[in-house]
Amino acid sequence: MPKTVQDKIYNHFLNYIYDKDNYDLKNKLSDDLIKIIEARHHDPFGVLGAHQTGGQTTVTVFLPDTQKAWLNDDLVLNRLEGTDLFQWAGDSSQLNEHYIINRIAGNSDPVQLYDPYNFLPQLSDFDLHLFSEGKHWHAYRILGAHQHQVDGIDGILFATWAPSAQRVSVIGDFNQWDGRKNPMRVRGGTGVWELFVPGINAGEIYKFEIKNNDGSLHSKMDPYGQQAELRPSTASIIANDSQHTWHDSDWIARREKSDWLHEAQSIYEVHMGSWRRNKEGEFLTYREMADQMVPYVKELGFTHIELLPITEHPLDISWGYQTTGYFAPTSRFGSPDDLRYFIDTCHQNSIGIILDWVPGHFPKDAHGLARFDGSALYEHADPRQGEHQDWGTYIFNYGRSEVTNFLLSSAFYWLEEFHIDGLRVDAVASMLYLDYSREEGQWVPNEFGGRENLEAIEFFRHANSVLHQEFPGCLVAAEESTSYPMVSRPVSMGGLGFSMKWNMGWMHDILEYMKEDAIHRRYHHDSLTFGLLYAFTENFILPFSHDEVVHGKNSMVNKMPGDEWQRFANLRLLYTFMFTYPGKKLLFMGSEFAQGTEWNCEKGLDWYVLDYPLHSGMKTLVSDLNKMYSNTPALYRHEFDPQGFEWLDCNDREQSVLSYIRRDAKEYVISIFNFTPVVRENYRIGVPELGNYQIIMNSDSEYYGGSNIDNKPTIEAEPIPWSDRPYSIKINLPPLAGVVLQKRS
């Protein structure tokens, strides 16, 4: 309901109460009853409902827009003169424990309801204690709106945390968005308000109406709501209990036993709203994406899909990073069970799901978390600590146990209720540093005078420890762009406890190198080799993400120099380099077929370009690289360990050629890269053994759109020492290409 309508209702009541003809009404009623009428009573259960007075029971109900009311069959509720308060008094034997209120409004038939104010508190003291201590991992099960039953009576149990509020009410269509009708009870000093409302069902929309300490009113969506209206509407929806039957038990069992550190992992990063649209330009549903995206990703050979945030958000062009619903899958693509279907389909096809998760900031939208109870509740009050100037958002107060409980419970919710396999935590650097993107005087040092956000660091350590303990095999990856140490090392060793970290330094260096014209690359050769100095200090993911193909940065193929053929050859070379380089792999959608335009979140990918050979060739290359990577233990067994990598020659800067070995305990492969458009005929390179070396990947193959420079399928090693190796081979290095060889005999 629009705020102006709420105001009119409220003002109408005040005018009625204090009208000159009713000037003495206030004197006729107790202060408690006046507070109920004015919707400012902190404890409505102390007034409303059934109460023992001496030897009789008095029932008080507040029923606006009611002409006549009675209890059960014939116990008449008498209106208190000039008010919408009704009372019955009599012997308690006439009244059963959960009596029924009958009310008539206008010419309508009687409406029956149980009295919400005649039920005991429903949340246990133990649950509330755990929440206040920040230790309730499943807080989403008690806060929010949940189908609930009391003594065989069905309804919805609402609960929210608003410690600074004067009054909290639940509002919705079921009570005409009138905050006077369903005020909630506060549970002592916990700041949690609750109310069981009998007779309403899942699917209803609702908000919380909050009266601030200054007396102002505002309505908020539910922070723990598990479903929300489609934007631009902003109400929460009472979610149905899930009806989805999971069929991924084998996948979950394999995940729990997996040795992910030593397994192949290549990630296809997806923005669901723009992967593909239907013929009318509308979003695909979660179920349509299960039918279309899953076979496509399986064909490409990716092991995981990473979803840009699908937590509910009001603005499409925020890509989901301006989250308002930390427990609500966005309604843009369907219901929560539709999302479960998509994830289940992925798992049945051996594809994991990683969710982009945003605990670093939240938007200032009036209907969301911002100043939730009129105070800086979820955020810091001091803007030097509580606001991101770059993004115009608020920063969570990681020193408040209920806030970190909210975030940890959100992580639990996605991993447990949706079988998500991991989280990619956005903007970790902005959480680690108090002076992130701030000038001198714009930030507050920690208690030791430093710039580290000690409370956020403690949150990461606690959250990562708990998540890895409770969900064996789950992955928690950090998008962290600084040199903060030990991000992906266990908490027991002093690390932050993340599974992996995005290698932003490698990504930046290699893209800057690839943008250089080939004739200049010899002057930038160190950009190719520098990354190996720190490659094993963290468990790295090599990311070519959405951030690299927007805002004027160009698409991946158009970052490359040269004519069309050279641009595509350069990109094939880059992808081959990535898939043989130490680290897990990540590629943003559209990059696998070299989309020419930058990513536009408001339309689908340019799928039509697959009709052109160079683009379809790129897709074939990425598919073959994934298969080579997944089928070659030498390429993934020791991605985070220096024993899996050896340089063959890192010094040929004059010819811009690079070569190295990747190995495990049983086998090795040799990768050679020519970063110029010049064919290097009979190029000699040292090898560790005599024998025959077979080319298992050549990015210059005609199948991928390459020039197909001739090489024998098998190259025999010679007893000629080269580059500190006892043996060597000669090979024709194709232009702007990577070649991978494996010893066969």
Side-chain angles (χ1 to χ4, degrees):
M1 174 179 289
K3 189 174 186 300
T4 53
V5 178
Q6 296 181 47
D7 291 343
K8 286 180 180 179
I9 293 173
Y10 186 66
N11 290 333
H12 171 77
F13 249 97
L14 291 182
N15 290 336
Y16 183 84
I17 291 171
Y18 297 113
D19 185 87
K20 60 183 177 65
D21 294 328
N22 297 282
Y23 68 94
D24 62 338
L25 176 60
K26 188 172 183 179
N27 295 325
K28 296 179 181 179
L29 299 175
S30 69
D31 285 344
D32 280 335
L33 293 176
I34 290 294
K35 288 177 181 177
I36 291 292
I37 293 170
E38 294 179 353
R40 57 184 178 87
H41 204 293
H42 73 287
D43 181 21
F45 280 80
V47 179
L48 301 176
H51 296 273
Q52 295 289 331
T53 306
Q56 68 175 8
T57 297
T58 299
V59 175
T60 304
V61 295
F62 183 59
L63 299 172
D65 307 317
T66 299
Q67 293 181 343
K68 181 181 179 182
W70 64 95
L71 300 179
N72 295 335
D73 294 328
D74 55 3
L75 303 179
V76 176
L77 283 161
N78 296 303
R79 183 191 297 270
L80 298 186
E81 182 182 356
T83 76
D84 284 328
L85 288 166
F86 293 77
Q87 282 187 338
W88 171 87
D91 191 285
S92 58
S93 63
Q94 296 179 268
L95 204 65
N96 51 333
E97 182 180 4
H98 297 298
Y99 50 81
I100 294 175
I101 300 171
N102 298 267
R103 59 182 290 266
I104 294 177
N107 297 320
S108 62
D109 293 330
V111 174
Q112 292 188 332
L113 63 149
Y114 288 99
D115 187 354
Y117 299 95
N118 202 39
F119 290 85
L120 295 173
Q122 298 300 303
L123 300 182
S124 73
D125 290 338
F126 182 63
D127 278 329
L128 294 173
H129 171 73
L130 287 179
F131 173 72
S132 296
E133 292 289 312
K135 298 177 181 178
H136 203 308
W137 299 341
H138 299 93
Y140 65 85
R141 293 180 181 172
I142 63 166
L143 296 177
H146 300 278
Q147 296 178 67
H148 192 67
Q149 188 179 85
V150 181
D151 298 333
I153 299 169
D154 292 322
I156 302 296
L157 177 59
F158 296 94
T160 195
W161 177 56
S164 294
Q166 283 191 19
R167 186 258 299 170
V168 180
S169 297
V170 61
I171 55 176
D173 287 340
F174 49 85
N175 63 13
Q176 296 75 52
W177 300 90
D178 188 342
R180 300 168 302 151
K181 292 183 176 180
N182 290 123
M184 305 171 76
R185 70 173 3 131
V186 65
R187 296 296 303 276
T190 66
V192 173
W193 301 72
E194 70 160 82
L195 182 68
F196 174 64
V197 182
I200 61 175
N201 302 306
E204 294 267 13
I205 59 175
Y206 70 99
K207 284 187 176 182
F208 294 117
E209 182 179 89
I210 298 175
K211 189 171 188 176
N212 296 342
N213 272 328
D214 63 5
S216 62
L217 286 175
H218 58 272
S219 59
K220 293 283 191 176
M221 68 182 295
D222 183 356
Y224 285 85
Q226 296 180 14
Q227 194 172 355
E229 287 186 295
L230 181 63
R231 51 85 182 100
S233 298
T234 58
S236 299
I237 300 173
I238 301 169
N240 279 291
D241 292 339
S242 176
Q243 302 301 307
H244 179 77
T245 301
W246 290 94
H247 299 91
D248 64 349
S249 56
D250 289 345
W251 166 267
I252 298 296
R254 291 198 306 272
R255 188 189 75 191
E256 290 178 351
K257 297 176 182 178
S258 69
D259 181 15
W260 63 265
L261 279 166
H262 303 105
E263 294 176 355
Q265 186 179 116
S266 59
I267 303 165
Y268 186 63
E269 190 189 30
V270 170
H271 177 257
M272 278 191 148
S274 58
W275 182 71
R276 179 177 285 161
R277 299 283 181 95
N278 64 22
K279 293 180 180 179
E280 290 74 34
E282 298 168 337
F283 294 136
L284 298 184
T285 67
Y286 292 120
R287 291 180 181 269
E288 288 171 332
M289 283 184 271
D291 296 338
Q292 297 181 35
M293 187 188 298
V294 173
Y296 178 79
V297 172
K298 187 174 183 178
E299 175 195 358
L300 284 171
F302 287 98
T303 63
H304 289 72
I305 295 172
E306 179 177 313
L307 302 175
L308 269 65
I310 55 168
T311 42
E312 193 58 82
H313 52 281
L315 185 65
D316 288 1
I317 61 172
S318 78
W319 312 336
Y321 290 98
Q322 300 273 3
T323 296
T324 51
Y326 278 79
F327 298 83
T330 178
S331 295
R332 288 166 174 79
F333 316 121
S335 70
D337 268 0
D338 293 336
L339 175 59
R340 290 182 175 93
Y341 175 85
F342 171 80
I343 295 168
D344 202 356
T345 302
C346 288
H347 287 171
Q348 292 176 59
N349 286 274
S350 298
I351 297 170
I353 290 290
I354 298 170
L355 176 64
D356 215 333
W357 188 58
V358 191
H361 62 110
F362 60 91
K364 296 181 178 180
D365 295 65
H367 67 276
L369 293 177
R371 302 295 192 264
F372 184 75
D373 63 355
S375 70
L377 185 62
Y378 287 89
E379 66 274 35
H380 273 283
D382 189 334
R384 296 175 298 170
Q385 297 173 282
E387 294 189 33
H388 271 308
Q389 298 167 340
D390 290 351
W391 305 324
T393 54
Y394 285 131
I395 300 171
F396 285 103
N397 183 350
Y398 306 106
R400 194 160 193 171
S401 57
E402 296 93 342
V403 173
T404 53
N405 203 142
F406 169 82
L407 293 171
L408 181 55
S409 183
S410 171
F412 259 77
Y413 174 72
W414 293 103
L415 292 168
E416 189 158 77
E417 302 297 330
F418 286 85
H419 294 201
I420 293 286
D421 301 291
L423 302 170
R424 178 266 195 183
V425 183
D426 178 63
V428 167
S430 74
M431 301 171 67
L432 292 177
Y433 297 104
L434 297 165
D435 64 346
Y436 180 85
S437 193
R438 295 177 187 272
E439 302 295 331
E440 190 69 29
Q442 295 180 338
W443 58 283
V444 180
N446 63 36
E447 60 184 301
F448 303 107
R451 59 194 286 257
E452 294 80 13
N453 188 332
L454 303 179
E455 294 166 341
I457 290 168
E458 180 56 33
F459 165 69
F460 282 138
R461 288 175 171 163
H462 175 62
N464 285 326
S465 297
V466 170
L467 293 175
H468 285 118
Q469 170 189 313
E470 296 298 312
F471 302 97
C474 80
L475 304 170
V476 188
E479 186 218 8
E480 204 284 307
S481 55
T482 73
S483 57
Y484 191 94
M486 302 181 71
V487 171
S488 59
R489 293 295 178 258
V491 172
S492 60
M493 296 174 56
L496 292 184
F498 285 95
S499 313
M500 291 177 287
K501 169 182 171 174
W502 278 24
N503 195 337
M504 309 294 281
W506 174 86
M507 177 273 297
H508 179 268
D509 287 348
I510 190 62
L511 289 182
E512 288 301 309
Y513 177 87
M514 294 301 295
K515 290 175 185 177
E516 296 288 339
D517 287 329
I519 196 171
H520 299 136
R521 285 178 174 172
R522 57 182 174 170
Y523 304 114
H524 303 274
H525 195 71
D526 291 347
S527 294
L528 292 176
T529 60
F530 178 71
L532 266 301
L533 295 178
Y534 61 85
F536 307 109
T537 60
E538 300 276 7
N539 301 334
F540 279 124
I541 295 174
L542 309 178
F544 292 139
S545 75
H546 63 281
D547 280 326
E548 309 317 313
V549 292
V550 290
H551 301 325
K553 295 180 183 178
N554 270 327
S555 65
M556 289 295 290
V557 71
N558 283 331
K559 294 180 192 291
M560 306 295 117
D563 59 23
E564 182 183 56
W565 189 91
Q566 289 190 5
R567 291 199 308 275
F568 277 83
N570 269 307
L571 190 58
R572 292 193 298 269
L573 165 62
L574 175 60
Y575 288 167
T576 307
F577 184 59
M578 176 176 74
F579 272 86
T580 60
Y581 193 92
K584 308 304 183 187
K585 328 300 177 187
L586 182 143
L587 197 61
F588 183 58
M589 64 180 199
S591 300
E592 78 277 10
F593 59 75
Q595 174 162 302
T597 58
E598 282 191 353
W599 170 49
N600 181 348
C601 70
E602 298 185 82
K603 67 174 189 175
L605 298 177
D606 294 336
W607 293 99
Y608 71 90
V609 301
L610 283 169
D611 292 336
Y612 300 97
L614 287 175
H615 293 276
S616 62
M618 190 70 68
K619 175 174 172 281
T620 303
L621 171 78
V622 169
S623 177
D624 287 352
L625 286 172
N626 265 319
K627 291 169 185 172
M628 176 189 71
Y629 171 58
S630 296
N631 293 328
T632 309
L635 289 174
Y636 63 75
R637 191 76 73 192
H638 298 295
E639 291 192 290
F640 307 137
D641 188 331
Q643 75 182 72
F645 181 90
E646 298 174 28
W647 283 116
L648 284 175
D649 190 348
C650 62
N651 296 314
D652 192 358
R653 65 174 60 243
E654 287 303 313
Q655 298 187 87
S656 296
V657 175
L658 199 68
S659 55
Y660 50 73
I661 292 176
R662 296 292 313 283
R663 66 166 68 247
D664 71 347
K666 297 181 180 179
E667 63 179 16
Y668 61 89
V669 295
I670 293 171
S671 301
I672 313 168
F673 304 94
N674 177 10
F675 289 91
T676 70
V678 178
V679 178
R680 306 294 181 185
E681 294 184 349
N682 295 317
Y683 188 89
R684 187 170 291 277
I685 188 167
V687 295
E689 296 178 284
L690 287 173
N692 294 317
Y693 289 81
Q694 181 179 354
I695 296 176
I696 61 173
M697 170 57 64
N698 177 6
S699 69
D700 186 56
S701 167
E702 62 182 344
Y703 293 110
Y704 312 133
S707 59
N708 218 40
I709 295 298
D710 184 48
N711 267 303
K712 296 178 181 178
T714 302
I715 302 171
E716 186 174 356
E718 302 173 274
I720 300 174
W722 198 265
S723 299
D724 297 326
R725 300 286 173 171
Y727 314 105
S728 59
I729 60 173
K730 287 195 302 184
I731 185 172
N732 294 327
L733 292 183
L736 297 173
V739 178
V740 184
L741 303 97
Q742 189 169 33
K743 184 175 176 293
R744 293 304 193 193
S745 62

